[in-house]
Amino acid sequence: MDGLELLKKNWKSQEATLPQVSYDEIYKMIWKRSSSIVKWIFIISICEFLFGVILNVGLADEEYWNSLEQLQIKEITIWAYGINYLITIYFMFRFYMNYRQINSTSSAKRLMKDIIKTRKTVKSYILYVLISLAVVTLSLFYLIAYHHIENTQVADSSAYVFDALDWLKFTGITIIGLGIFLGVIWFFYQLLYGILLKRLKKNYTQLENLDCD
């Protein structure tokens, strides 16, 4: 008997003395972890939504609305708030439904599909937040600048004439500033949801290996 066969024989003899964990027990542990993670994703989305509402309500005093009215963007701002709230509530509903589906899952393959679906939903939500922030920021910046130009009278208008290079510099600074702002927001969401998504991915890998075994 060579050394390798001797090692296999010793390993099998030791394996019999170790506590055995069944397939169902491993699956239940992964299922419970996944269910808890998705529940926390739903809870965090609620807290984020409430924080946003409270922040907007806190800023929305009479002076705030008067300033928006002077800039002629009060109605647009109200519509933007309303649309954003509706879309956010939709994603919260999706998170809740993902939690319910995972909580009632009865097979490893089904759980794997639910994990993939949940990860896609969260990534879509983060992408929506970044895109909406970019659109709103650029739109408000344009409207404020347009209002300022339309309502500002100057004696020498030649001082306010910009050539192509000036516009290129201005556009570049705006894009860089917006990129830094969105980068900070993205980093915040990676801390907020990214850790949970990594744990879900780990659970998916474990289920994949379990199913292969």
Side-chain angles (χ1 to χ4, degrees), residues 76-174:
I76 295 176
T77 302
I78 294 174
W79 275 100
Y81 280 162
I83 293 172
N84 178 63
Y85 288 153
L86 287 175
I87 296 177
T88 303
I89 290 172
Y90 164 75
F91 276 107
M92 289 166 56
F93 174 75
R94 289 280 304 274
F95 293 152
Y96 173 71
M97 293 304 298
N98 289 338
Y99 168 68
R100 284 195 60 181
Q101 288 177 356
I102 285 183
N103 210 32
S104 60
T105 298
S106 58
S107 68
K109 288 185 178 181
R110 182 67 240 180
L111 180 56
M112 290 170 67
K113 291 180 180 179
D114 289 339
I115 288 175
I116 293 176
K117 186 177 180 181
T118 300
R119 283 172 53 83
K120 286 182 178 179
T121 304
V122 176
K123 289 180 179 180
S124 298
Y125 172 66
I126 295 175
L127 184 63
Y128 158 72
V129 172
L130 295 176
I131 292 175
S132 63
L133 279 175
V135 171
V136 169
T137 302
L138 289 174
S139 299
L140 288 177
F141 187 80
Y142 169 78
L143 290 171
I144 291 172
Y146 178 79
H147 179 270
H148 178 73
I149 293 172
E150 287 292 314
N151 293 274
T152 301
Q153 296 181 352
V154 294
D156 184 12
S157 60
S158 62
Y160 292 87
V161 176
F162 298 96
D163 57 19
L165 183 60
D166 292 328
W167 280 111
L168 185 63
K169 290 179 180 179
F170 175 77
T171 303
I173 293 172
T174 302

